[in-house]
Amino acid sequence: MREILIVGGGYAGFYTAWGLEKKLRTGEARVTVVDPRPYMTYQPFLPEVTAGSVEARHAAVSLRRHLRSTRLIAGSVTEIRNADRTVTVRPVSGADYELHYDILVVTAGAVTRTFPIPGLTQQAIGLKHVEEAVAIRDRLMTAFDQAASLPPGAERQKLLTVTFVGGGFSGVEGFGELLSLATAMLKFYPELSIDDLSFHLIEARGRILPEVGDKPGAWVVRSLERRGAHVHLNTQLVSVEDGHVVLSNGEEFDSSLIVWTAGNASNPVVHNHTDLPVDERGLVVVRPDLRVGTDSDPVPDVWAAGDDAAVPDLASPVPGAHTVPNAQHAVRQGRRLAKNIAAALHGGRIRDYRHSSLGVVATLGLGRGIFQYKRIVIKGLPAWLMHRGYHVLAVPSWERKIRVLTVWLTAALFGRDLVSLASVQHPRDAFVRGGDAQRSDESRTGSRTAA
């Protein structure tokens, strides 16, 4: 039986494995997915997870629930040696070991790109995984609770100051949703007012949302500023030590919540630990049919897709263009990969990947959004409804669609669920404090008895 090894269980990897389960004959091949997480994160829902509009579990698609005949390994691939058809796997616990394959699929995905900015790794949090989205929401809600018990001043101001770095889709959507959540929470905190909130969006370029046109992007900036946000364009983060934000334009302020969404970087295993061909950005060189290599120098039995692959964009009028790293492409590339691998095994026709954009749509908070398809631009509530409609259709499985719809309908009737569960990040604290208090009481009782 052939061994098909898929490195990474994100969009492209999940849809490749899901498709292969449907197309492979019984006993024809064994599909293995290696990923440290037991689920695929539906990243377009992460901004709504930060706002509590989508439950965290509903943005996570269980691999075991949907990949019934695929072998799943909880671990990370740390090295790919295609010359030996071997990868090194680092499991969640235990020693590293090797796996051999006949067919390799590289869908490791990208990682968050960071820079050597003082204090960044100590203070900031990303927005690429469910855990991060939940932590951002809980930190904001905890900050509200703490600020409400403080008098006006520097400490209270810092707690209610939120900073997002990066004006791409992830940053703008997360920023807009969190601003919407904070504004909605004010009616439950009579001690606080809209003037106490300070939201900052920092972007190094002269515009945000590069996927939309200049005018729609400028409209988004004006929309956020009308809601009280501060948008800093052509501005870089200089330092963030101890939560003190220093910007390249000379502005400084303290912020208790700093979210870094300033782009992606190639996965280290692809960039540094493989003998597969990579380009100057550290992405796997891929042909239009998603096979690794070039037309003149293909790599047999190796395929790649998603954020760590330089996939030619055949639908683009720009010569040499590559597909942008987004969910729209990764999902469709995964489906095409499954069809092409099955075709290669069955002697069928292998087709090139081609997908024309369906447009871009972004949420900017509850009831607010923007959509653009070529010259068609839709703003406000209609765009927000289009955003929700598209993503509830795109999230895998009817089970997930129904769960998400149920949460949305419940929120429409009863409002947001404004409960912080920040304590779950340190579940043993209450247990340890209880034990310490009990020992302290016993010690004092013993001292009085002895006296």
Side-chain angles (χ1 to χ4, degrees), residues 152-299:
E155 188 175 357
R156 180 159 131 176
Q157 184 63 60
K158 180 178 180 179
L159 285 168
L160 298 177
T161 299
V162 176
T163 305
F164 271 67
V165 184
F169 260 86
S170 179
V172 172
E173 289 191 314
F175 184 80
E177 286 287 349
L178 207 64
L179 177 59
S180 179
L181 172 63
T183 305
M185 289 174 61
L186 286 174
K187 65 181 179 181
F188 300 103
Y189 290 84
E191 306 90 343
L192 307 176
S193 70
I194 189 68
D195 295 330
D196 292 316
L197 298 181
S198 185
F199 273 66
H200 298 263
L201 176 62
I202 302 166
E203 171 52 48
R205 293 167 294 189
R207 52 165 300 178
I208 61 174
L209 294 179
E211 295 86 350
V212 305
D214 290 341
K215 288 184 178 180
W219 176 86
V220 172
V221 172
R222 293 194 300 271
S223 174
L224 292 172
E225 289 178 338
R226 283 195 298 268
R227 295 161 59 189
H230 307 277
V231 180
H232 308 267
L233 301 179
N234 295 311
T235 304
Q236 296 179 343
L237 182 66
V238 175
S239 174
V240 69
E241 288 186 293
D242 298 323
H244 183 69
V245 178
V246 180
L247 305 181
S248 60
N249 62 6
E251 293 187 49
E252 298 184 24
F253 52 86
D254 291 330
S255 178
S256 66
L257 179 56
I258 300 160
V259 184
W260 179 269
T261 61
N264 297 323
S266 175
N267 194 297
V269 69
V270 172
H271 193 281
N272 302 318
H273 304 289
T274 180
D275 55 358
L276 297 174
V278 297
D279 66 9
E280 65 281 358
R281 297 172 297 166
L283 303 178
V284 180
V285 177
V286 178
R287 295 163 29 142
D289 60 8
L290 303 179
R291 284 185 281 195
V292 171
T294 62
D295 291 336
S296 59
D297 189 17
V299 179

Side-chain angles (χ1 to χ4, degrees), residues 96-165:
D96 294 2
Y97 62 91
E98 293 184 347
L99 280 180
H100 297 273
Y101 60 83
D102 297 299
I103 298 172
L104 178 67
V105 180
V106 182
T107 54
V111 297
T112 301
R113 179 183 61 184
T114 59
F115 298 99
I117 298 172
L120 180 64
T121 56
Q122 293 79 21
Q123 299 293 327
I125 184 171
L127 184 53
K128 200 171 184 63
H129 301 289
V130 173
E131 303 93 326
E132 294 171 324
V134 173
I136 290 169
R137 177 175 182 264
D138 286 342
R139 287 187 186 184
L140 177 71
M141 302 183 87
T142 300
F144 263 70
D145 289 332
Q146 295 172 350
S149 62
L150 294 174
E155 188 175 357
R156 180 159 131 176
Q157 184 63 60
K158 180 178 180 179
L159 285 168
L160 298 177
T161 299
V162 176
T163 305
F164 271 67
V165 184

Side-chain angles (χ1 to χ4, degrees), residues 44-45 48 173 361-363 382-392:
F45 277 158
E48 294 202 60
E173 289 191 314
V361 62
T363 175
W384 178 77
L385 292 173
M386 293 172 68
H387 175 273
R388 286 205 159 182
Y390 172 78
H391 285 299
V392 80

Side-chain angles (χ1 to χ4, degrees), residues 34-80:
V34 181
D35 195 281
R37 289 178 169 82
Y39 55 83
M40 181 203 81
T41 302
Y42 190 72
Q43 290 184 346
F45 277 158
L46 292 186
E48 294 202 60
V49 171
T50 67
S53 300
V54 171
E55 289 291 334
R57 287 185 179 86
H58 300 167
V61 180
S62 170
L63 298 181
R64 292 193 177 274
R65 182 183 180 95
H66 299 286
L67 302 180
R68 299 295 182 85
S69 59
T70 297
R71 180 173 62 154
L72 300 173
I73 295 178
S76 302
V77 171
T78 59
E79 185 179 7
I80 299 173

Side-chain angles (χ1 to χ4, degrees), residues 357-395:
S357 175
L358 301 175
V360 292
V361 62
T363 175
L364 304 174
L366 195 63
R368 301 177 176 91
I370 187 165
F371 167 83
Q372 181 176 9
Y373 175 69
K374 297 183 179 179
R375 295 186 178 181
I376 301 173
V377 178
I378 300 174
K379 307 170 185 175
L381 179 61
W384 178 77
L385 292 173
M386 293 172 68
H387 175 273
R388 286 205 159 182
Y390 172 78
H391 285 299
V392 80
L393 291 175
V395 68

